[in-house]
Amino acid sequence: MLPFNAGMRKGTGKKAGDKVAVEIEVDKKALKISNDLIVCLKDDPTAYQFFKSLPPSHQRYFSKWVDDAKTPETKEKRIALSLSALNRNMHFGKMVREQHTLAGRDPDRYKSSLI
């Protein structure tokens, strides 16, 4: 089973519950990490070392989350949260669940889509 969210359904014209045929290919594109995130990580050797130990897909989670911020303030907040989590050897999903817990939301609400 693969998640097929509302945005994907809208793009394909499918409804929730419809069946789709899927082809999977190896992604051979070079890993592109947010430059803003890398600059900040290089100022924090502990966070940078843990980040580099993560699989490329997990590095991409952090990078995409930072780059998807709509405002500079949100981007700064996400970089700060990322650095804090990486300093504590937390992967992306654990960081997000921690933020949900701190905000009083169900920490496992998005668990399956983040791991």
Side-chain angles (χ1 to χ4, degrees):
M1 181 183 294
L2 294 171
F4 197 70
N5 65 31
M8 297 164 98
R9 285 193 308 272
K10 185 176 180 181
T12 61
K14 298 292 184 181
K15 300 183 307 276
D18 286 352
K19 291 186 180 185
V20 295
V22 178
E23 288 186 30
I24 298 176
E25 297 178 4
V26 174
D27 185 355
K28 296 180 183 179
K29 291 184 284 189
L31 178 63
K32 285 180 95 175
I33 300 296
S34 164
N35 191 53
D36 293 328
L37 179 60
I38 289 295
V39 166
C40 292
L41 281 169
K42 286 186 176 178
D43 285 339
D44 189 333
T46 303
Y48 187 59
Q49 182 177 4
F50 182 70
F51 180 79
K52 294 304 279 180
S53 76
L54 294 171
S57 60
H58 290 230
Q59 292 177 20
R60 210 173 286 128
Y61 291 147
F62 280 101
S63 181
K64 183 171 179 355
W65 184 59
V66 167
D67 279 345
D68 283 351
K70 292 183 173 77
T71 66
E73 293 80 15
T74 299
K75 189 174 216 175
E76 289 172 15
K77 180 180 176 185
R78 289 181 179 185
I79 289 172
L81 286 170
S82 296
L83 291 174
S84 173
L86 292 164
N87 263 301
R88 294 178 288 143
N89 294 344
M90 294 173 76
H91 58 76
F92 184 77
K94 188 171 182 180
M95 176 194 69
V96 171
R97 285 191 297 279
E98 177 185 69
Q99 292 305 306
H100 281 277
T101 298
L102 293 172
R105 296 187 302 261
D106 178 8
D108 292 325
R109 179 176 175 195
Y110 301 104
K111 187 174 182 177
S112 64
S113 65
L114 296 174
I115 298 176

